């Protein structure tokens, strides 16, 4: 009997957790496919009387006057900025992580870079603003890419260093004795071995950039460089009375990170522990 | 002719230099510059700063006597302590559940990742819609189940706005605690529990003697990470309430943002930012110590 009770409690708790996660997100999706009249009905009927996917069509069309013009630009900016920043950071973080891992005695720098990455962005934002202004990079995608490097670099370096630490050194040393240079060893031996984590770490960095809002809000001013989070915040605060449309934008903006997270399940934890949190 | 050791040293720095230079340019230098700004009366006029004048510690003196600043500091501490505590409790409970055997466990493990992965702004927007006073799902659900008798303005009243924002924050962020704690739980060998059972230890005793010590490290990392993030909270406030109603959700980050970019007082905004950073530095130091300790013990832990 006691065993039975435990089992019931277990399944009840599991159901509660599942519903609490799925209900708000499910409702967001239902909103995006319900007619506005259904959404504003009191009492609310929850299920749409008619499934209406037309908002997604409008968001994905470049016809002038449609919300798609705003949305697709922001989507393009987000993709480009996140991918560009991640690519630059990989180029910088791989040699740095290799150095931290193979040559002892500089860990202070690694900890310092991780520590400063956690300082509130309000402490950097004014000088960065002036810097971008002087370089003529305000409201540009390269400007945002540059700023995002400060977010992605520290923990990408940290994750890669931890990975390099677990690889065997003796092959590398043998290769060095055979006359290979350091960068040849890194490219031909170490990187191929670290490949699985390399991809995961890069995606992690990509997620951080995809999610960033504060700098994007202050350093962009129109569709030339505005990323999705800024556009969503604008939609939400605007006079757009169609909540279903806002919900549809949210669904589309969430699809890439949700898929990546499901795919990365296994490596997620090591990334999280190295400070890859998304406030 | 360089010795081998010197050559090694040089190689190490060459590999490291690009990353360090970028970090210095984008973080260390701006931070120093913000410290300098905080001693001036710099203003943001339109899009360019005027030539700032040096006014010493005046900004700091003003900050310490500023009622509004103190209030938003307490508000931020309330937000941080309460939401992180709740995230810790729910996070551990859900991790313990996910560590049990039951059908559908791996599916539930995937589900719990979803709130964490949801973009912060989408989460804020989602809860803003859910808390809508006229036709939000929260009002609909609570009235249809008979828990409240009339629709309420959750984000529109100063009594409930901050708690509604905290609810949204907890919903999204407890999974971080769950994931880290679950990883620690999975490393506990089952025979420890077997042995404890044979010795007749109660469930509570088993939790105290085996489970808790095993998850303590992961839990403290998760809680410190969450504390640092909660202390900096901005995005969710910006989208859900813009600091309102009547400043009831104006946290420190939002306060500094307004000072610098709405009232264009860059100098005093910088001083507030530095004060905030000093408070954060305590937490960051704590986190660094935790990481340091974990790494020292790491080799012993991996078997």
């Amino acid at each position: 009997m006691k065993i039975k009770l435990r089992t019931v409690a277990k399944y009840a708790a599991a159901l509660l957790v599942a519903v609490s996660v799925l209900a708000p997100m499910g409702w967001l999706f239902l909103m995006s496919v319900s007619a506005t009249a259904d959404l504003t009905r009191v009492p609310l009927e929850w299920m749409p009387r008619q499934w209406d996917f037309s908002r997604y069509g409008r968001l994905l069309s470049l016809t002038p006057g449609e919300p798609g013009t705003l949305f697709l630009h922001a989507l393009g900016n987000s993709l480009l900025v996140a991918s560009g920043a991640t690519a630059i950071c990989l180029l910088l973080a791989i040699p740095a992580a290799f150095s931290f891992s193979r040559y002892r005695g500089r860990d202070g720098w690694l900890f310092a870079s991780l520590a400063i990455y956690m300082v509130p962005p309000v402490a950097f934002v004014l000088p960065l603003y002036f810097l971008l202004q002087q370089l003529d990079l305000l409201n540009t995608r390269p400007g945002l890419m540059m700023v995002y490097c400060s977010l992605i670099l520290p923990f990408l370096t940290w994750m890669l260093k931890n990975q390099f630490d677990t690889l065997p050194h003796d092959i590398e040393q043998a290769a060095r004795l055979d006359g290979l240079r350091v960068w040849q060893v890194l490219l031909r031996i170490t990187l191929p071995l670290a490949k699985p984590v390399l991809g995961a770490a890069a995606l992690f960095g990509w997620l951080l950039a995809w999610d960033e809002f504060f700098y994007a809000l202050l350093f962009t001013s129109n569709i030339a460089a505005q990323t999705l989070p800024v556009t969503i915040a604008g939609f939400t605060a605007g006079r757009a009375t169609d909540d279903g449309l806002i919900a549809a934008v949210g669904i589309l903006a969430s699809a890439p990170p949700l898929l990546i997270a499901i795919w990365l399940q296994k490596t997620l934890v090591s990334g999280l522990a190295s400070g890859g949190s998304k406030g | 002719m360089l010795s081998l050791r010197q050559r090694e040293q040089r190689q190490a720095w060459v590999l490291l230099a690009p990353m360090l230079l970028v970090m210095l340019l984008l973080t260390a230098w701006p931070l120093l510059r913000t410290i300098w700004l905080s001693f001036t009366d710099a203003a943001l006029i339109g899009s360019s700063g005027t030539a700032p004048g040096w006014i010493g510690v005046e900004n700091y003196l003003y900050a310490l006597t500023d009622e509004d600043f103190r209030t938003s500091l307490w508000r931020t501490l309330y937000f941080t302590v309460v939401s992180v505590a709740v995230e810790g409790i729910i996070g551990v409970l859900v991790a313990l559940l996910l560590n049990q055997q039951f059908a559908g466990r791996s599916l539930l493990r995937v589900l719990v990742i979803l709130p964490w992965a949801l973009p912060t702004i989408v989460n804020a927007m989602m809860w803003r819609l859910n808390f809508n006073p006229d036709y939000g799902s929260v009002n609909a659900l609570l009235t249809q189940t008979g828990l409240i008798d009339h629709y309420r303005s959750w984000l529109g009243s100063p009594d409930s706005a901050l708690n509604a924002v905290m609810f949204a924050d907890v919903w999204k962020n407890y999974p971080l605690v769950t994931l880290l704690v679950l990883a620690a739980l999975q490393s506990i060998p089952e025979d420890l529990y077997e042995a404890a059972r044979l010795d007749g230890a109660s469930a509570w005793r088993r939790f105290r003697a085996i489970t808790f010590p095993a998850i303590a490290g992961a839990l403290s990392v998760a809680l410190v990470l969450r504390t640092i993030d909660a202390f900096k909270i901005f995005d969710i406030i910006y989208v859900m309430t813009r600091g309102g109603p009547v400043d009831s959700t104006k946290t420190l980050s939002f306060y500094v943002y307004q000072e610098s970019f709405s009232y264009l007082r860059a100098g005093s905004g910088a001083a507030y930012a530095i004060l905030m950073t000093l408070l954060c530095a305590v937490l960051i130091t704590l986190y660094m110590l935790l990481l340091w300790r974990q790494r020292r013990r790491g080799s012993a832990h991996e078997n």
Side-chain angles (χ1 to χ4, degrees), chain B residues 65-91:
Chain B
T65 55
D66 181 1
E67 188 81 36
D68 275 353
F69 180 71
R70 257 207 310 272
T71 316
S72 56
L73 173 61
W74 290 124
R75 196 176 289 128
T76 307
L77 289 176
Y78 167 79
F79 180 100
T80 305
V81 171
V82 176
S83 44
V84 173
V86 176
E87 280 158 24
I89 293 165
I90 298 180

Side-chain angles (χ1 to χ4, degrees), chain B residues 218-233:
Chain B
L219 183 60
S220 41
V221 165
L223 290 183
V224 174
L225 269 180
R226 283 301 315 138
T227 307
I228 293 171
D229 269 342
F231 190 75
K232 297 191 285 196
I233 194 84

Side-chain angles (χ1 to χ4, degrees), chain A residues 154-231:
Chain A
F155 99 89
L156 198 56
T157 307
W158 180 268
M159 261 180 102
L160 292 178
K161 177 202 176 288
N162 286 343
Q163 177 60 17
F164 290 161
D165 282 349
T166 62
L167 298 175
H169 292 212
D170 41 9
I171 311 177
E172 288 176 16
Q173 268 150 356
R176 289 299 307 273
L177 290 175
D178 285 344
L180 258 69
R181 295 178 165 274
V182 175
W183 57 269
Q184 289 173 313
V185 171
L186 174 58
L187 285 177
R188 288 186 201 169
I189 296 163
T190 318
L191 278 187
L193 286 173
K195 222 183 227 153
V197 172
L198 213 59
L203 280 173
F204 237 108
W206 192 90
L207 281 182
L208 282 183
W210 184 263
D211 203 46
E212 205 285 329
F213 175 69
F214 187 66
Y215 291 140
L217 174 74
L218 293 169
F219 299 154
T220 64
S221 44
N222 60 34
I223 61 168
Q226 257 176 11
T227 54
L228 269 177
V230 182
T231 306

Side-chain angles (χ1 to χ4, degrees), chain A residues 23-269:
Chain A
M25 291 162 97
W27 175 236
L28 193 69
F29 174 72
L30 282 178
M31 282 180 87
S32 73
V33 295
S34 301
T36 308
D38 287 343
L39 292 179
T40 51
R41 192 167 288 140
V42 177
L44 194 63
E45 286 174 14
W46 305 103
M47 277 296 159
R49 298 181 174 194
Q50 217 173 4
W51 295 77
D52 168 19
F53 285 88
S54 68
R55 291 193 188 92
Y56 289 96
R58 288 173 55 209
L59 282 173
L60 298 173
S61 98
L62 272 169
T63 320
E66 290 290 3
T69 45
L70 271 178
F71 172 77
L72 288 172
H73 268 107
L75 180 71
N77 291 337
S78 270
L79 284 171
L80 199 88
V81 169
S83 309
T86 308
I88 297 167
C89 286
L90 271 178
L91 286 178
L92 297 167
I94 289 171
F98 188 72
S99 171
F100 280 128
S101 172
R102 295 296 181 261
Y103 304 93
R104 298 280 160 216
R106 281 169 200 72
D107 282 2
W109 289 99
L110 182 61
F111 276 84
S113 66
L114 205 55
I116 207 157
Y117 149 86
M118 297 188 157
V119 168
V122 284
F124 308 128
V125 72
L126 287 161
L128 285 176
Y129 184 87
F130 297 139
L131 177 72
L132 289 177
Q133 201 174 38
Q134 268 163 355
L135 298 172
D136 236 344
L137 287 175
L138 276 178
N139 199 31
T140 65
R141 293 178 292 200
L144 216 48
M145 262 181 227
M146 185 178 96
V147 172
Y148 283 0
C149 285
S150 67
L151 297 178
I152 303 174
L153 259 180
F155 99 89
L156 198 56
T157 307
W158 180 268
M159 261 180 102
L160 292 178
K161 177 202 176 288
N162 286 343
Q163 177 60 17
F164 290 161
D165 282 349
T166 62
L167 298 175
H169 292 212
D170 41 9
I171 311 177
E172 288 176 16
Q173 268 150 356
R176 289 299 307 273
L177 290 175
D178 285 344
L180 258 69
R181 295 178 165 274
V182 175
W183 57 269
Q184 289 173 313
V185 171
L186 174 58
L187 285 177
R188 288 186 201 169
I189 296 163
T190 318
L191 278 187
L193 286 173
K195 222 183 227 153
V197 172
L198 213 59
L203 280 173
F204 237 108
W206 192 90
L207 281 182
L208 282 183
W210 184 263
D211 203 46
E212 205 285 329
F213 175 69
F214 187 66
Y215 291 140
L217 174 74
L218 293 169
F219 299 154
T220 64
S221 44
N222 60 34
I223 61 168
Q226 257 176 11
T227 54
L228 269 177
V230 182
T231 306
I232 290 173
F235 271 139
T236 315
R239 298 276 169 269
T241 41
D242 186 4
D243 284 351
L245 187 71
I246 301 171
V249 175
I251 295 285
L252 289 174
S254 308
L258 291 182
L259 293 174
I260 289 174
I262 292 169
W263 190 38
L264 281 187
Q265 271 190 81
K266 295 277 176 284
T267 34
L268 209 55
V269 170

